[in-house]
Amino acid sequence: MYKGRVNPAQTLEKTGITGVKTVYYNLNEATIMQHAVRNDEGDIGLGGAFLVSTGQHTGRSPKDKFVVDEPSVKDTIWWENNPPLAMDAFERLHTDMLEHMKGGTYYVQDLFGGADPEYRLNVRMITELAWHGLFSRHMLRRPEAEEIATFLPEFTIINCPSFKADPERHGCRSETIIAISFEQKLVLVGGTSYAGENKKSVFSIMNYLLPDRDVMPMHCSANHAIDDPDDSAIFFGLSGTGKTTLSADPNRTLIGDDEHGWSDNGIFNFEGGCYAKTINLSAEAEPEIYATTSMFSTVVENMVYDPDTLELDFADDSLTPNMRCAYPLHYISNASETSMGGTPKNIIMLTCDAFGVLPPIAKLSPAQAMYHFLSGFTAKVPGTEKGVTEPIPTFSTCFGAPFMPRRPEVYGTLLRDKIAQHGVNCWLVNTGWTGGPKGGGGSRMPIRATRALLTAALSGGMEDREYRTDTNFGFAVPISVKGVAKVLLDPRRTWEDPDKYDVQAAKLVNMFAENFKQYEPYVSDDVLAAAIKPV
């Protein structure tokens, strides 16, 4: 039995999934929430938000993610980063999951990945949990009713948390599994209720498919000038660097906060919503994101709340520091209606340097941009994870290594070539520490200074600046910028003991150089020349 709106030629039964008791197709937000409450999946919160806990898994399970080792992808997958799964193991996994699903109730959402119709991907999301359907409606893009009537899925994702994988039978590591078959155009997710696996599976698929079409897939946020979509900017950055916060500038139009493509048409959002961290979120610092946590159908994930008043506790990370909210993009007042923009004029690479060494902004050449893109540097800080007592460097290539099916140089070369072709300005922006390391006399980079520097960069106010060449990293650093203390632009001067800065800088330089050795055989001479040299 099925209910809801669907292409009658594309019901589960007609696509080979039989024995399922009830299937609900493309339910709207209100109806999904009714099902989720009836299924005891969560609670309705203030303003009609949906409050849910994901149980054991409060984040992605990257060690349990596999790509099926198939002939058509054998020579193009970055296998060191994407553990292979044998084809026969995947077939057993698929057969066993479909058998497990028989007699159950499932929810189907037919959605688009990608705002640009020329490059979008038709995705069918089949979920055991009703609220996963709600999450997917927010995070992907929703077809119009007439488009659903003729919708043909290109990739299908089956998410069944109650299914437990068998490592011996299915060739995996644990009871949790995320397996992608590019030949069968199928993703199987089992043993985890964390909804982020759904959206990141789509991101991984698009990251594989788009480079063959000369489209650069990017783990970044993006915005454009108000009333001028051609004046766009993209913000690369790992978690905690300010990617979501800094792109949500009230003086610019938000294109999206996490995943985008860059084609000859310009840039376009892959998603239809945002998935924002809520730890220590405040109405004062981020009023629009804060407001979404009490708006209708927002999925509030893994947050502690008062069982009587339903008030959320933004400081309590006892469930996880990775608590989040998922909401449709139009909940942000300055969001773009099209989720598209022109070729970017500026690229911002955000890093949170907890060593207190990097300047608050630096200008990069195309080769330097590729170097820092491949490096993907930020730092874990004391207090964020158990056992972290001093800053620890984190290098995640392309600012999103877990989602990169191809070798990093594929994406790095695409980015370098597009930067050079279009004359894009590239900036490295440090939102981390200055005056010393985190926990060692340093203080967080003033947000006002960061915003002033970004405003100057995006408005063209950095073009007539005088620059110095940084002796440690080789990039260009402005000597003065209006509204920013001069001393802040020269990190060495912010330390009480400049000699200690030199020691710390040498330490970080060598970390960069050591990490980049893995890419040296694959990059061109200009990138090698731009590489940071060990001391």
Side-chain angles (χ1 to χ4, degrees), residues 112 134-142 199 244 254-260 269-276 325-332 335 339:
F112 297 134
L134 177 64
F135 175 92
S136 299
R137 280 184 67 83
H138 290 339
M139 298 316 303
L140 295 178
R141 303 188 66 81
R142 299 161 292 282
K199 92 179 201 100
T244 298
L254 178 67
I255 298 172
D257 82 326
D258 199 39
E259 299 167 6
H260 295 80
N269 193 352
F270 288 173
E271 301 183 297
C274 300
Y275 192 32
C325 62
Y327 50 89
L329 196 60
H330 66 261
Y331 280 8
I332 302 298
S339 294

Side-chain angles (χ1 to χ4, degrees), residues 252-504:
R252 292 176 66 84
T253 297
L254 178 67
I255 298 172
D257 82 326
D258 199 39
E259 299 167 6
H260 295 80
W262 180 359
S263 73
D264 289 342
N265 301 335
I267 57 176
F268 60 97
N269 193 352
F270 288 173
E271 301 183 297
C274 300
Y275 192 32
K277 282 193 171 183
T278 56
I279 187 168
N280 297 323
L281 190 66
S282 71
E284 293 73 29
E286 297 178 272
E288 292 221 77
I289 297 175
Y290 183 89
T292 68
T293 61
S294 58
M295 295 176 73
F296 177 73
S297 83
T298 291
V299 176
V300 176
E301 193 178 67
N302 294 320
M303 286 191 69
V304 174
Y305 58 92
D306 188 297
D308 297 319
T309 65
L310 299 176
E311 291 182 356
L312 301 171
D313 190 333
F314 293 87
D316 190 338
D317 63 355
S318 57
L319 292 178
T320 176
N322 191 39
M323 51 198 193
R324 292 177 179 266
C325 62
Y327 50 89
L329 196 60
H330 66 261
Y331 280 8
I332 302 298
S333 62
N334 65 326
S336 165
E337 291 183 4
T338 66
S339 294
M340 298 174 66
T343 296
K345 291 185 177 180
N346 290 277
I347 292 175
I348 314 296
M349 296 186 184
L350 299 168
T351 183
C352 178
D353 171 26
F355 296 87
V357 169
L358 294 175
I361 195 167
K363 191 168 187 179
L364 306 175
S365 69
Q368 287 173 330
M370 181 173 175
Y371 176 89
H372 285 279
F373 181 70
L374 291 176
S375 298
F377 168 72
T378 192
K380 294 179 182 178
V381 298
T384 57
E385 289 185 15
K386 185 177 180 180
V388 177
T389 58
E390 63 181 30
I392 297 175
T394 298
F395 293 95
S396 184
T397 189
C398 307
F399 295 98
F403 325 118
M404 301 298 164
R406 297 177 182 267
R407 279 207 60 87
E409 304 80 36
V410 173
Y411 308 103
T413 300
L414 259 175
L415 182 70
R416 182 200 60 190
D417 291 349
K418 287 184 179 293
I419 289 170
Q421 177 185 352
H422 299 286
V424 183
N425 291 316
C426 298
W427 311 90
L428 184 70
V429 172
N430 173 26
T431 61
W433 272 257
T434 186
K438 161 75 170 164
S443 58
R444 194 72 190 256
M445 196 72 68
I447 186 66
R448 285 187 178 182
T450 301
R451 288 197 181 279
L453 291 167
L454 283 175
T455 298
L458 298 180
S459 65
M462 304 285 268
E463 293 178 4
D464 59 349
R465 300 289 93 190
E466 184 181 354
Y467 289 82
R468 65 176 177 85
T469 299
D470 188 276
T471 55
N472 294 301
F473 298 95
F475 42 47
V477 181
I479 292 174
S480 66
V481 177
K482 184 178 180 181
V484 179
K486 261 192 174 184
V487 65
L488 202 64
L489 295 166
D490 186 353
R492 191 173 188 270
R493 291 176 56 200
T494 66
W495 285 52
E496 286 188 12
D497 185 342
D499 291 338
K500 287 185 177 180
Y501 170 87
D502 293 337
V503 171
Q504 188 84 322

Side-chain angles (χ1 to χ4, degrees), residues 144-176:
E144 300 294 334
E146 58 272 19
E147 292 176 305
I148 290 176
T150 58
F151 189 93
L152 296 175
E154 295 174 80
F155 267 79
T156 297
I157 298 171
I158 303 176
N159 190 317
C160 188
S162 68
F163 177 84
K164 307 300 181 186
D166 179 344
E168 287 192 16
R169 178 169 169 78
H170 301 132
C172 51
R173 190 187 70 96
S174 72
E175 292 184 339
T176 299

Side-chain angles (χ1 to χ4, degrees), residues 216-233:
M216 174 68 190
M218 304 175 293
H219 182 215
C220 70
S221 57
N223 63 25
H224 66 70
I226 294 175
D227 299 326
D228 187 3
D230 288 332
D231 183 4
S232 69

Side-chain angles (χ1 to χ4, degrees), residues 88-99:
D88 59 343
F90 183 79
E91 287 304 324
R92 290 191 293 272
L93 175 69
H94 189 199
T95 299
D96 292 349
M97 185 175 284
L98 293 184
E99 185 65 27

